[in-house]
Each structure stands twice: as C-alpha cells, then as structure tokens.
Amino acid sequence: MSMLTNLDLIRRVPLFSMLTNEQAQSIADSVVKRRFRRGELVVEQGRKSNALFILLNGRARVLTSDTRGREVILAVLESGDYVGEMSLIDNEAHSATVRCEIQTDMLILGRADFARCLPENSTLSYAILRGLVRRLRHADRQIESLALLDVYGRVARTLLEMAEEVNGVKIIRGKVSRQDMAKVVGASREMVSRVMKDLEERGVIETQENGSVIIKERAPQPE
C-alpha cells in the first residue's frame, strides 16, 4: 500500500476540503507525526488535548464509559479518519476516549494551526459549526445513556439536561410530557410515569400546579 503524504491526508479531511492549495500545504507543513502503541490513549474523555489527530494507518476505537468502567464503542477510526475537532471548535473537554486497537501512526495538528482554518468567531458559519458540535455532543450523551444507564438513570439525566437554574433553583418550565420523555429515553410511557412518581415520592423532584418541575436534589446514579 502506498504511503499517503501529509498533503494527501489533509485533503481527505472534510474540515479542510475547501482550503486552497497554498492553505492546505501550510497545514501539511504544520503537522507532526506520532506513533501510538496498541492500547494507548489518543484522547481521554473529560480532558482536553488541544490538537487534531488524523490517522495515517492502524485502527482506533472511540469509547465512552461509566464510573464502573463499562464501555460502549461509538465508532471505529481507520486511515484518513480524524478526531479532536469538536474540542478545538468549542474549547470543551473530549466527550469520548479514543484508544488504539493496533499500532497506529497519526498526524497531529496543534490548536493555533487548526484555528487558522476556521472562520472568524463572529461569522454565521462559525456559529453553525459550534451548533453542530453541540448536537454531536448531545448525541454522544444520548448513546451513552441508552447503553450504560437503566431507565431510572436515563430519566434522571434527561430531567437535569432539561432544567435551567433560576435564583439557585433548578426548574423545568412548562409541563414535562411523559410521552415525549419516553421517546427520548427509549422506554414506555408507563415506565417513565413510574420513575417520575418515585422521584416525586423521594423528594427529588416537585411538580408544580402549572406543570413545571423543580429539581430539589440530584438523583442518585443507578447501581
């Protein structure tokens, strides 16, 4: 198999597809190569790496896990794939861990060089990029919840995500539809109703007359 040049790999990354030849070559000149061992972490969930990683060869898994170490595979990366772009765009921690399955060579592009490829912060295109990243992060959390949490845990997490803080109190404005909640967490309406009733009886949430919900304390995580 012929070796791809740095410029070849840059051209295969969708984020850089609109660059001019000069811009692409500038990025290609800025990357560094690194070899990762089998089992080595490229990025770690909850941390920042401030770099974009592009696979030259090998294979890596994108994983998410819970506090008990249970893992879910979100994707498998191969030659030409890349990881780390979401954190570079929104400056948040990685939403998942990437671990090499076999020895893998990568090109690494630092934050400053990556930022040169992005539109100005004030432009609509940059706002759209950040919006897409928010949706992707939310999708990662949904996959993680469906795979690692039971219905109780999924309902509790969804309630927390729906809530906003007002004067130090977490509140969900408007009525919480059991039917809609059931579609979000992947459970029956009856099961969601039972979980909500249990949370109310335990004093975790309080439903107001207008249908809004006050979260009085954080729901415990499932065992």
Side-chain angles (χ1 to χ4, degrees):
M1 182 178 67
S2 61
M3 291 294 294
L4 297 174
T5 66
N6 289 3
L7 183 58
D8 290 332
L9 265 295
I10 292 299
R11 281 301 188 192
R12 291 179 61 179
V13 177
L15 284 173
F16 302 137
S17 62
M18 300 301 292
L19 296 182
T20 65
N21 289 333
E22 183 179 354
Q23 291 171 326
Q25 186 62 60
S26 175
I27 293 300
D29 292 339
S30 301
V31 296
V32 296
K33 292 182 181 179
R34 179 182 166 186
R35 173 164 292 175
F36 290 82
R37 301 182 306 275
R38 176 185 177 185
E40 188 173 357
L41 298 185
V42 180
V43 302
E44 189 171 357
Q45 185 175 355
R47 295 188 177 184
K48 295 182 181 180
S49 59
N50 293 317
L52 180 75
F53 301 84
I54 306 168
L55 277 72
L56 287 168
N57 54 50
R59 190 169 61 252
R61 289 182 175 182
V62 183
L63 309 159
T64 186
S65 61
D66 62 11
T67 55
R68 287 181 285 173
R70 295 182 301 173
E71 293 182 340
V72 174
I73 299 174
L74 300 177
V76 176
L77 306 178
E78 297 182 331
S79 176
D81 289 330
Y82 57 92
V83 68
E85 78 288 353
M86 292 198 304
S87 291
L88 291 182
I89 291 172
D90 68 5
N91 199 31
E92 297 292 332
H94 295 295
S95 61
T97 292
V98 176
R99 179 188 299 132
C100 293
E101 287 189 2
I102 57 178
Q103 180 176 285
T104 301
D105 294 322
M106 296 193 182
L107 295 178
I108 303 176
L109 181 67
R111 171 179 289 278
D113 294 307
F114 179 84
R116 289 193 285 110
C117 304
L118 295 177
E120 294 296 324
N121 289 359
S122 60
T123 64
L124 175 61
S125 55
Y126 189 78
I128 291 173
L129 273 178
R130 290 180 64 89
L132 290 173
V133 168
R134 282 196 298 271
R135 291 184 184 183
L136 286 171
R137 288 188 181 278
H138 179 70
D140 285 347
R141 289 195 299 271
Q142 286 292 93
I143 294 171
E144 178 184 341
S145 293
L146 289 171
L148 297 175
L149 299 180
D150 59 13
V151 177
Y152 193 101
R154 298 202 296 271
V155 169
R157 172 177 284 188
T158 302
L159 288 172
L160 286 170
E161 291 181 345
M162 293 172 62
E164 58 181 298
E165 191 162 326
V166 179
N167 297 325
V169 177
K170 285 188 175 296
I171 184 170
I172 302 172
R173 300 182 185 276
K175 185 177 180 180
V176 177
S177 166
R178 271 44 170 185
Q179 185 64 45
D180 289 346
M181 177 74 75
K183 293 178 181 178
V184 170
V185 303
S188 67
R189 183 183 184 282
E190 292 73 21
M191 176 62 75
V192 169
S193 295
R194 287 199 294 270
V195 172
M196 294 283 287
K197 181 179 180 181
D198 180 64
L199 290 173
E200 289 181 336
E201 291 176 348
R202 298 175 63 179
V204 176
I205 64 175
E206 181 180 314
T207 302
Q208 306 299 293
E209 289 186 3
N210 63 1
S212 62
V213 175
I214 295 176
I215 301 178
K216 307 182 73 172
E217 62 179 83
R218 190 180 182 89
Q221 292 298 313
E223 296 296 330

